[in-house]
Amino acid sequence: MRLLQTSVALCALAATAVTAQQGNTTQPANPPPAGGNSTAPGVSCGVQNDWNRIETQAQLAQLVGTNCTNILGSVLLAGPGITDLTPLAKIESVQLSIDIASTNLRTLTGLGNLKTVGENLFIHDNAQLSNVFGLNSLTTIQGGVLVYQNPQLVSIAGLATMTNINPDKSPKFAFGISVYGNPVLAALDGLQNLKTVGNVVIISNNTRLNSLDNLPSTGPFPVQSITIERLPVIKTLAPLSVFTSAANGTALKVTTCDSLTSLDGISLASVTNLTLTHNAALADVKAIGNSKIAGPIVQVDDNTKLCDLSPVQTAAGGVSGAQILNTCGKPQQQTGGSSTAGGANSGGFPGGPNMPLPGSGSFRSEAGFTLVTAAVGLLGTVFAF
Ligand SMILES: *[C@@H]1O[C@H](CO)[C@@H](O)[C@H](O)[C@H]1NC(C)=O
Ligand SMILES: *[C@@H]1O[C@H](CO)[C@@H](O)[C@H](O)[C@H]1NC(C)=O
Ligand SMILES: *[C@@H]1O[C@H](CO)[C@@H](O)[C@H](O)[C@H]1NC(C)=O
Ligand SMILES: *[C@@H]1O[C@H](CO)[C@@H](O)[C@H](O)[C@H]1NC(C)=O
Ligand SMILES: *[C@@H]1O[C@H](CO)[C@@H](O)[C@H](O)[C@H]1NC(C)=O
Ligand SMILES: *[C@@H]1O[C@H](CO)[C@@H](O)[C@H](O)[C@H]1NC(C)=O
């Protein structure tokens, strides 16, 4: 149930476009969906502009009836009672979002005619899902694709027909590509044919992900934020070179990637927030030297091999309150920091003593994290105005 709550929170975000609830549309013959802009011809079913919550195969059969090709509103296929998607074999479009959550599905067989999703595609917390094969026709997601917390998911290669995520670059969709918490996912194959990617890229906490290969390669793709986090095996960020800064810059977070030695591949002209923390092997941040970091957040902490900070310092030169702490195995400086931040980090003043902090590595890491989190909280407040 905890997992479902996550879903609800995300769905609430995803459903911001919902404005009015219409009555139930019970399989009318060839309707133009009232009040909507569905371009789908054919038969529609489901509740317009609302979630159709489906928890059993019987409910699924009832939703789609015999001839439905277009599901109105959003559809939540949730729980262990969902074991077979073949009743959806005629579905070509979902007007808003489709959320496949906590089911007992092993694959997505049954969605072979689905071509378009009007908002987001969520695939999460499915205990037995090992791949997403079955999506043989999917080309366009108007919002984002979120694949998360599927404990047995090895491959997303079934997404390979997909060419467009948020092709209109609509700011209302906060998700672009979000793939996180899939502990046995080995590769990102499946994303390679995208021609648009939306506003946000999050690849996080996929602990066996070998590389970022098969992110799309035909950019440039301007994005508002990139999060690369808890990927202990990846060795290079080179595939990120297709992502460029959005008009307002890009927030960049690279954290807890234990095998990563350099930031090579980052090619962002304008960075808003920068977070580089807990990367045990990161020694080379030259790639960030080509960026202009505008802040408000610059947080560099606990990268024990990172000794040449000059690219960050150059790029972040004008940022007030930059937090550059405990790197190269020692406390470091803060550039132009507020007195609050300085006070929070004893020994972290510019020109301060280059002493290792006491305690074990993990103690240092935790302590550093706490300090920075506290400081960032305050800075966030200061710079919010
Ligand atoms: C739509 O149908 C469902 C199930 O048949 C029902 O619970 C719900 O109240 C209906 N909504 C409207 C707006 O008629
Ligand atoms: C339908 O499309 C028109 C023109 O593209 C647009 O102005 C209108 O806001 C849309 N209506 C809805 C309900 O999406
Ligand atoms: C489904 O379509 C078939 C063929 O057009 C038609 O004969 C049948 O009546 C339709 N069924 C429903 C429930 O609309
Ligand atoms: C990372 O993913 C694992 C497995 O899905 C999950 O148990 C864990 O809570 C996640 N960690 C974080 C920090 O999100
Ligand atoms: C981006 O910049 C434009 C123009 O400066 C501004 O109007 C807009 O609100 C900004 N958008 C975001 C998401 O910050
Ligand atoms: C940057 O950091 C600020 C302060 O924490 C936060 O409000 C903002 O959402 C962040 N921007 C992005 C794009 O992550």
Side-chain angles (χ1 to χ4, degrees):
M1 287 306 101
R2 180 183 66 78
L3 301 177
L4 276 175
Q5 280 166 1
T6 308
S7 149
V8 168
L10 285 163
C11 294
L13 278 170
T16 49
V18 171
T19 50
Q21 176 169 352
Q22 314 277 321
N24 279 355
T25 311
T26 15
Q27 300 164 34
N30 298 315
N37 268 348
S38 175
T39 54
V43 179
S44 296
C45 55
V47 184
Q48 175 96 349
N49 288 329
D50 201 356
W51 283 90
N52 296 275
R53 189 182 177 97
I54 304 297
E55 296 181 32
T56 66
Q57 290 299 124
Q59 288 169 351
L60 185 57
Q62 189 183 11
L63 173 72
V64 297
T66 320
N67 295 336
C68 182
T69 56
N70 172 39
I71 296 179
L72 298 175
S74 294
V75 60
L76 172 63
L77 302 163
I82 302 297
T83 54
D84 176 15
L85 298 185
T86 54
L88 297 170
K90 290 184 184 167
I91 299 298
E92 296 176 11
S93 64
V94 173
Q95 185 190 31
L96 301 178
S97 293
I98 178 167
D99 186 346
I100 301 169
S102 308
T103 70
N104 274 342
L105 297 167
R106 291 168 189 275
T107 76
L108 299 186
T109 302
L111 290 175
N113 272 315
L114 180 65
K115 297 177 180 65
T116 60
V117 175
E119 291 194 343
N120 301 299
L121 168 63
F122 301 88
I123 301 170
H124 64 103
D125 298 301
N126 297 288
Q128 303 189 47
L129 192 71
S130 65
N131 63 65
V132 294
F133 290 121
L135 293 165
N136 303 329
S137 307
L138 184 63
T139 57
T140 303
I141 311 278
Q142 293 291 342
V145 172
L146 297 93
V147 180
Y148 57 95
Q149 293 166 200
N150 300 287
Q152 303 207 36
L153 184 67
V154 176
S155 163
I156 55 170
L159 294 173
T161 54
M162 207 171 52
T163 52
N164 287 98
I165 292 177
N166 194 356
D168 303 332
K169 276 286 187 187
S170 169
K172 96 181 167 190
F173 298 118
F175 313 116
I177 299 173
S178 301
V179 179
Y180 61 90
N182 305 289
V184 297
L185 183 67
L188 295 179
D189 304 42
L191 302 176
Q192 66 270 25
N193 296 319
L194 287 168
K195 296 188 169 43
T196 54
V197 302
N199 300 318
V200 170
V201 177
I202 299 171
I203 311 291
S204 172
N205 195 23
N206 307 292
T207 45
R208 284 201 212 156
L209 186 66
N210 284 313
S211 78
L212 300 175
D213 290 349
N214 287 305
L215 282 168
S217 57
T218 53
F221 303 112
V223 292
Q224 289 166 4
S225 97
I226 300 176
T227 300
I228 301 297
E229 183 180 40
R230 289 181 199 275
L231 306 177
V233 194
I234 61 154
K235 292 192 160 61
T236 173
L237 301 182
L240 298 182
S241 63
V242 291
F243 300 114
T244 57
S245 298
N248 292 13
T250 301
L252 175 65
K253 180 175 187 178
V254 179
T255 183
T256 323
C257 292
D258 294 339
S259 305
L260 190 66
T261 56
S262 94
L263 293 185
D264 289 2
I266 297 295
S267 52
L268 300 170
S270 171
V271 172
T272 53
N273 299 351
L274 174 70
T275 306
L276 293 178
T277 54
H278 315 301
N279 301 292
L282 183 65
D284 172 358
V285 295
K286 282 196 290 293
I288 206 73
N290 301 321
S291 307
K292 175 84 186 104
I293 303 175
I297 302 298
V298 177
Q299 184 189 0
V300 180
D301 187 22
D302 191 33
N303 306 289
T304 51
K305 296 276 167 49
L306 179 54
C307 298
D308 180 7
L309 280 161
S310 57
V312 176
Q313 286 160 334
T314 303
V319 179
S320 176
Q323 298 291 298
I324 301 177
L325 305 176
N326 188 23
T327 197
C328 196
K330 341 174 204 7
Q332 294 288 322
Q333 67 174 338
Q334 305 156 57
T335 61
S338 67
S339 58
T340 305
N345 179 39
S346 58
F349 303 107
N354 284 338
M355 302 187 310
L357 291 173
S360 68
S362 67
F363 173 81
R364 281 204 305 276
S365 165
E366 288 306 308
F369 184 75
T370 306
L371 279 176
V372 170
T373 303
V376 165
L378 291 162
L379 285 168
T381 310
V382 170
F383 287 100
F385 297 97

